[in-house]
Amino acid sequence: MKYAFLIMLGGLLIGGCAQDDAASETDAAAAVDVMPETIPAAVETEESSTAFVEYVWHKEGANFSREALMEKVAFWNGLIDAGEYDITRVNLLFPREASENYDFVWVMVWPSAEARDEGWAYWTANDEPSWLQEIEGVFSFDAADAYMFASTTQMQASEANTTDVFENQFNFCRYSEGKGPSDLSAFQLAHAEFLKAYEEEAGPSGYWYTLLEPTFEPNDPTPDFVWLDLWSTAEEKTDGMAYFADSDLANALDAMATCNRTGFSGLNIRS
């Protein structure tokens, strides 16, 4: 079941660096009428740049609406404010392509695995019954469909996202024959130079990325690495990916790995 997350969230297998069609920034904001996945930390030590990001699948109910969702978000935030939780930030993700497994994903960023375990224990003992009653008919979730990754920021954005909306893309990748971690490290160095050149031409951007490591044990075949790209806007994502698609770096990625990709619009609901 845990591996199903990697497959279903990863979407259809596409080789190379094909881009999904990002909708407009207005569409992203309209997903819910109210910043990025995790705030890029200062990459000074592994400890300072690592967070634990948990993705919980949710399905819409018969009474679902954007307004109803935001009412439940306010109720949930009230529970968190009153309870004993150590949560860094919370986002909602809305798939750019429909999935039969979820309609949206509730994302919680924890400072540690221990904070996550303590938070869920407190939730189960104190807040879960009232929450299940509150959301009945609006949306539902199964705690079995909660998937946590250790997230290590690799590059910070050169320009902060000052809005509540963002875009992302998950890349679940397997090395090509004869390739491995040293090739990924070399690619990251080339990627940094590529981004520097791009921003010298296009100006500062809200782009940054992190690597995700599953904290659960997936079945074979597991991805060799999970690369998560984030942008401040849909336009920024479209422009950046178009620039990348025409580059030698895209060919280098094609040669290094084959990736499953899927994109989401998102917004922050707690920070």
Side-chain angles (χ1 to χ4, degrees):
M1 184 60 188
K2 294 299 185 183
Y3 180 60
F5 176 77
L6 300 179
I7 294 298
M8 300 306 179
L9 185 58
L12 296 176
L13 183 65
I14 21 182
C17 193
Q19 72 179 77
D20 55 35
D21 294 326
S24 67
E25 181 182 1
T26 302
D27 291 339
V32 177
D33 296 327
V34 253
M35 264 175 12
E37 192 97 16
T38 60
I39 297 177
V43 188
E44 297 175 355
T45 66
E46 182 175 346
E47 181 179 0
S48 69
S49 62
T50 300
F52 290 82
V53 187
E54 187 168 30
Y55 301 88
V56 186
W57 292 353
H58 283 67
K59 294 287 289 184
E60 296 174 0
N63 300 323
F64 181 87
S65 68
R66 295 170 186 171
E67 294 76 12
L69 173 58
M70 294 315 299
E71 289 176 2
K72 304 315 174 189
V73 165
F75 182 89
W76 185 87
N77 273 322
L79 294 178
I80 302 305
D81 289 338
E84 298 177 6
Y85 300 98
D86 184 6
I87 300 178
T88 305
R89 67 191 295 110
V90 182
N91 302 314
L92 297 179
L93 297 181
F94 303 91
R96 284 301 188 185
E97 295 183 2
S99 169
E100 63 181 18
N101 297 285
Y102 52 79
D103 294 308
F104 64 95
V105 182
W106 199 292
V107 185
M108 294 174 287
V109 183
W110 306 90
S112 67
E114 292 75 17
R116 183 267 184 196
D117 293 342
E118 292 171 1
W120 275 101
Y122 184 91
W123 172 266
T124 301
N126 296 276
D127 292 328
E128 185 175 42
S130 60
W131 178 241
L132 293 178
Q133 181 177 356
E134 178 71 17
I135 67 173
E136 184 176 1
V138 180
F139 55 82
S140 61
F141 73 100
D142 186 336
D145 290 326
Y147 307 93
M148 189 169 73
F149 293 76
S151 171
T152 305
T153 302
Q154 304 295 307
M155 176 176 287
Q156 301 183 60
S158 59
E159 184 174 73
N161 183 355
T162 58
T163 74
D164 290 332
V165 299
F166 61 96
E167 292 285 327
N168 73 14
Q169 178 172 274
F170 291 86
N171 305 271
F172 296 89
C173 302
R174 289 187 61 80
Y175 292 122
S176 301
E177 185 175 357
K179 302 297 183 179
S182 63
D183 299 284
L184 176 59
S185 296
F187 177 82
Q188 287 182 278
L189 291 175
H191 179 271
E193 291 301 314
F194 169 85
L195 186 62
K196 180 181 178 181
Y198 172 70
E199 293 190 341
E200 286 176 352
E201 178 179 323
S205 76
Y207 170 81
W208 62 286
Y209 78 95
T210 184
L211 293 181
L212 301 176
E213 179 70 25
T215 63
F216 50 90
E217 185 174 347
N219 297 325
D220 290 331
T222 63
D224 293 311
F225 63 94
V226 183
W227 181 305
L228 175 60
D229 295 301
L230 299 106
W231 298 265
S232 294
T233 68
E235 180 182 9
E236 186 177 77
K237 176 181 179 180
T238 300
D239 291 347
M241 292 185 68
Y243 188 91
F244 178 83
D246 292 334
S247 71
D248 292 338
L249 194 63
N251 295 328
L253 179 57
D254 285 349
M256 181 184 69
T258 300
C259 301
N260 295 325
R261 296 184 175 84
T262 192
F264 292 80
S265 63
L267 75 158
N268 174 250
I269 60 171
R270 185 180 183 89
S271 56

